[in-house]
Amino acid sequence: MALLIHILSCLFGMGSWVAINGMWVELPLIVPEIPEGWYLPSYLTVLIQVANVGPLCVTLMHRYRPQMLNELAAIYTIIGIGILASFLLAFFWKETLSVAGSVHSVALLVLTFFLSIVDCTSSVTFLPFMMRLKPQYLTTYFVGEGLSGLVPGTAAIIQGVGMVQCVNQTERVNGSTENSTTSQLQAWYQPANFSTQVFFFFLSLMMVVCLVAFLLLNYLPLVQQEHKSAKCYETDITNARELKARNIRKPEHKPMISQAEDGKPTKQTRFGTGRYSWSQVLFIFVVLAWANALTNAVLPSVQSYSCLPYGNNAYHLSAIFAALANPLACFISMWMPNRSFVLLGILTLAGTTIGSYIMAMAVLSPCPVLIHGNTGTTLIVISWLLFVLFLSYVKVMIGIILRDEGHSALVWCGAVVQLGSMLGALTMFPLVSVYRIFQSGDPCNTQCPI
């Protein structure tokens, strides 16, 4: 039964971001068919940030009108919207309308906005629902959340998205004699193995799987027993903490002082169980926002710039290993959990340092360091793997810490995740799309000096 619940939790978590992640990996096939062209990623960035109105409304209702918030109904609603929107995309993603004198893919943008609301709102609805189960299933949920990027990415690789073959193109030189020609390698994108319509049907099916997993987690009799066990577990934890607090508290001398795990006195807070001081709570949420800003917005927006100068293989390997690193970090956290703030700080610093190297290579594109030879390719691929691995482990462990702080803590966890991602995206959008400080590398030709 435990294995079944782990599988269902994983499938439920997979539906959290599978739709938007699927949109990103399908861009190379969508862009040539729509009037927005490669400006579409900029539109997507704006739409995703506007869609944060969903988690904002849920968070405000949880804070000020909790009696009006029906968590189960909210989850049913957003999953239903995800299924319908991805299904309609299969039929209308190429349809265009004239708006203010110019042609736009209105259907694609509107339906993508609804998918963005679904995925953004999942952060503040799916996570609190997992409070109904025992803590170990939350880690499995994070594994599924990591797979929400790996699964559509794998499907896109099978589809053949972005597969480039360098072909030798010979052209006649203008104004020269008949026999004067020039030859250079040009990127030729191979045709896909199946259509974009089929891919959107696949995304809709993934959302259906998420719905089925949610129904079973909510109503399957065997899982209902786990719900009761989880309630007993929470009660035991609460009682144990209250008993410990009574044993160590000295109200006549220090009414606002309690003992932390290391035996040192810390000021109690009203956040969660009051286990952590305000400075520790601030550290948790700052690290959480920073890690999500880097992994969800800042570095993904420059991945192509950091990798393509080293060749198309470097780009695909980096994308694959980055997608694998997320669920790998979740598995590591299952077998080697460590809640030490010192360790989390060290891993955050290490991930930030590696991310700085990746950002530097993107800024130096199309001529980053070590572009000639295999050393640069190896470094950029390993950098992406370690960057995602370290910060994903930090995010999972913070999620587990906040899970023990109660339902409200997980709601705030989801809100801070979206806040960090939004700030990261709003920071990178003008740099990438307005000021265009990054330049793409050619996967087939390198004009950089040795």
Side-chain angles (χ1 to χ4, degrees):
M1 184 184 69
L3 177 61
L4 173 63
I5 299 175
H6 278 297
I7 294 174
L8 293 176
S9 300
C10 182
L11 294 175
F12 179 55
M14 197 184 303
S16 60
W17 282 95
V18 70
I20 289 300
N21 286 334
M23 284 292 300
W24 282 109
V25 300
E26 193 70 2
L27 283 181
L29 293 183
I30 295 176
V31 163
E33 303 291 334
I34 60 174
E36 288 79 8
W38 277 108
Y39 286 104
L40 179 61
S42 300
Y43 284 93
L44 292 183
T45 302
V46 174
L47 289 174
I48 292 171
Q49 302 321 312
V50 174
N52 278 301
V53 66
L56 176 62
C57 291
V58 172
T59 304
L60 292 177
M61 288 182 65
H62 179 270
R63 178 66 178 86
Y64 298 105
R65 292 290 187 271
Q67 68 278 6
M68 296 176 58
L69 182 61
N70 188 323
E71 189 176 81
L72 297 181
I75 295 176
Y76 281 124
T77 301
I78 64 175
I79 295 179
I81 293 174
I83 294 172
L84 181 61
S86 52
F87 184 78
L88 291 177
L89 272 172
F91 297 99
F92 299 108
W93 69 274
K94 286 199 294 186
E95 299 298 321
T96 59
L97 288 175
S98 179
V99 179
S102 58
V103 179
H104 291 283
S105 304
V106 176
L108 174 67
L109 297 175
V110 170
L111 292 173
T112 301
F113 173 70
F114 281 110
L115 288 182
S116 301
I117 290 181
V118 170
D119 290 1
C120 291
T121 311
S122 70
S123 297
V124 293
T125 52
F126 286 18
L127 272 175
F129 171 79
M130 294 304 296
M131 279 291 297
R132 298 167 181 255
L133 302 174
K134 289 182 179 179
Q136 59 265 32
Y137 299 118
L138 180 63
T139 306
T140 312
Y141 169 86
F142 282 121
V143 172
E145 196 173 75
L147 292 175
S148 68
L150 178 62
V151 170
T154 303
I157 291 174
I158 296 172
Q159 185 184 15
V161 171
M163 291 300 176
V164 177
Q165 181 179 357
C166 296
V167 296
N168 197 11
Q169 188 74 22
T170 302
E171 297 179 353
R172 188 181 302 277
V173 178
N174 293 334
S176 301
T177 61
E178 276 188 13
N179 296 328
S180 296
T181 59
T182 182
S183 179
Q184 66 174 354
L185 292 175
Q186 290 189 357
W188 177 69
Y189 289 86
Q190 302 177 22
N193 296 321
F194 54 87
S195 67
T196 301
Q197 183 182 49
V198 173
F199 186 83
F200 283 131
F201 282 139
F202 168 75
L203 293 183
S204 183
L205 177 62
M206 293 302 300
M207 293 303 299
V208 171
V209 170
C210 174
L211 175 61
V212 172
F214 175 64
L215 288 170
L216 294 177
L217 285 173
N218 206 25
Y219 297 112
L220 193 66
L222 293 175
V223 184
Q224 288 289 333
Q225 297 300 318
E226 285 291 315
H227 288 187
K228 296 177 182 178
S229 299
K231 290 180 181 178
C232 294
Y233 171 83
E234 295 295 331
T235 302
D236 292 341
I237 292 294
T238 303
N239 292 339
R241 287 174 179 166
E242 290 178 354
L243 179 61
K244 181 180 179 181
R246 284 198 299 268
N247 290 337
I248 64 176
R249 192 181 296 134
K250 297 179 180 179
E252 66 277 12
H253 297 295
K254 298 177 181 180
M256 293 300 292
I257 299 296
S258 67
Q259 296 289 333
E261 284 186 345
D262 56 4
K264 296 179 180 179
T266 59
K267 290 185 179 181
Q268 287 186 335
T269 72
R270 293 183 180 180
F271 179 82
T273 62
R275 181 182 183 183
Y276 299 105
S277 67
W278 280 119
S279 59
Q280 291 173 321
V281 172
L282 179 63
F283 171 82
I284 289 172
F285 283 124
V286 168
V287 168
L288 182 64
W290 178 255
N292 279 280
L294 292 182
T295 56
N296 296 346
V298 175
L299 271 299
S301 65
V302 298
Q303 185 170 21
S304 61
Y305 300 104
S306 67
C307 299
L308 275 180
Y310 296 101
N312 196 60
N313 286 336
Y315 176 73
H316 280 285
L317 286 175
S318 297
I320 292 171
F321 280 112
L324 286 172
N326 197 312
L328 177 60
C330 297
F331 281 116
I332 293 175
S333 67
M334 292 177 66
W335 303 112
M336 292 187 295
N338 193 318
R339 304 186 184 203
S340 168
F341 287 176
V342 175
L343 176 64
L344 296 182
I346 291 174
L347 290 178
T348 303
L349 180 60
T352 302
T353 302
I354 297 171
S356 300
Y357 171 78
I358 295 173
M359 179 62 71
M361 297 306 101
V363 172
L364 293 174
S365 176
C367 295
V369 299
L370 302 174
I371 191 172
H372 300 286
N374 295 325
T375 304
T377 301
T378 303
L379 278 177
I380 198 66
V381 171
I382 293 176
S383 295
W384 271 101
L385 171 65
L386 295 180
F387 164 73
V388 178
L389 182 67
F390 290 163
L391 293 185
S392 294
Y393 182 88
V394 170
K395 292 191 294 183
V396 172
M397 290 312 306
I398 289 179
I400 293 173
I401 290 172
L402 294 178
R403 194 270 179 207
D404 287 347
E405 293 304 299
H407 183 277
S408 295
L410 280 183
V411 174
W412 283 108
C413 175
V416 171
V417 166
Q418 291 306 120
L419 176 63
S421 302
M422 180 183 68
L423 293 177
L426 293 180
T427 301
M428 294 305 297
F429 176 75
L431 298 179
V432 175
S433 302
V434 179
Y435 298 107
R436 301 181 184 276
I437 66 173
F438 301 96
Q439 298 180 17
S440 298
D442 191 330
C444 294
N445 299 285
T446 301
Q447 303 298 327
C448 304
I450 299 178

